[in-house]
Amino acid sequence: MRKSLSSQEEQARFLKLHTENTPLWMSALPEGGQYLTRGGESEIYLAPDYRHVIKVNDAVYYATWAEYFNSLVIHNLLFPSTAYELLGFTAGKDEALCAVLRQPFIEGGQADLANIRELLTFNGFQNTRRQDYFNEEFGLLLEDMHDENVIAKDDVLFFIDTVFYLLEAQ
C-alpha cells in the first residue's frame, strides 16, 4: 500500500521532484511580463499578451497542495470566465514551491459588497462572517470575497481571487 502525502511540505517535495526535469518546471516566468502587485498568496504580473495575468502562488492559505488544487478546480467550475490555467511550478522566495498560473485579465472596478453577497446568496451560499460564505449543499467554504477579489464590469461580477475549502456539510 502506498503512503499518502499528507503535509504540504511532503507534497511540495513530491511535486518538485516530479516536475523539475519536465516542461512543467519553470526556471523563469514568461519573458516580457510586468510586475503588478503582491497579494496574500500571489505575486501578480501582467502577461506579455496584455490579456492575462500570471500569478505565482505559494498556496500559503492551504494545509496541502491537494487542497489548493481542489480550490482551483472548484473556481474553474464555478467561474469559467476567470478560470485559472496551471502553467507549471517554480521556486519562490526561500526556494518554496510556487504554482505558476495564468488567468484572464479583467479591467473594471471594485465590486460592491452587497452585490457579491446577493449573487452568492442566490447561488446557495450563506454569509458566515465578514466576507466568508458557506454552501451547505456542496460543503464549500468560500473565503475572502471582499471588493478587491471581485471585479465589476458592465454589471457583471468577475471572481478573480477565490479561496475554496471542501468541508463536511453541516
Side-chain angles (χ1 to χ4, degrees), residues 140-159:
L140 289 178
L141 179 62
L142 173 57
E143 290 189 347
D144 205 26
M145 288 297 90
H146 59 77
D147 52 359
E148 292 178 352
N149 288 341
V150 183
I151 294 175
K153 180 180 179 182
D154 300 327
D155 295 324
V156 176
L157 297 181
F158 294 90
F159 290 74

Side-chain angles (χ1 to χ4, degrees), residues 85-105:
E85 176 187 354
L86 179 66
L87 299 178
F89 299 93
T90 194
K93 293 180 180 143
D94 300 326
E95 296 300 307
L97 182 72
C98 292
V100 181
L101 307 163
R102 186 168 76 164
Q103 185 179 39
F105 176 60

Side-chain angles (χ1 to χ4, degrees), residues 11-27 69 86-91 97-99:
Q11 291 176 1
R13 282 192 297 275
F14 177 85
L15 287 166
K16 188 172 182 183
L17 177 69
H18 290 284
T19 61
E20 271 185 317
N21 297 312
T22 73
L24 285 175
W25 187 258
M26 302 176 74
S27 57
F69 294 133
L86 179 66
L87 299 178
F89 299 93
T90 194
L97 182 72
C98 292

Side-chain angles (χ1 to χ4, degrees), residues 108-127:
Q110 290 182 338
D112 183 279
L113 292 176
N115 292 341
I116 296 169
R117 182 183 296 229
E118 180 182 351
L119 178 67
L120 291 173
T121 300
F122 177 80
N123 285 286
F125 285 87
Q126 298 303 312
N127 184 243

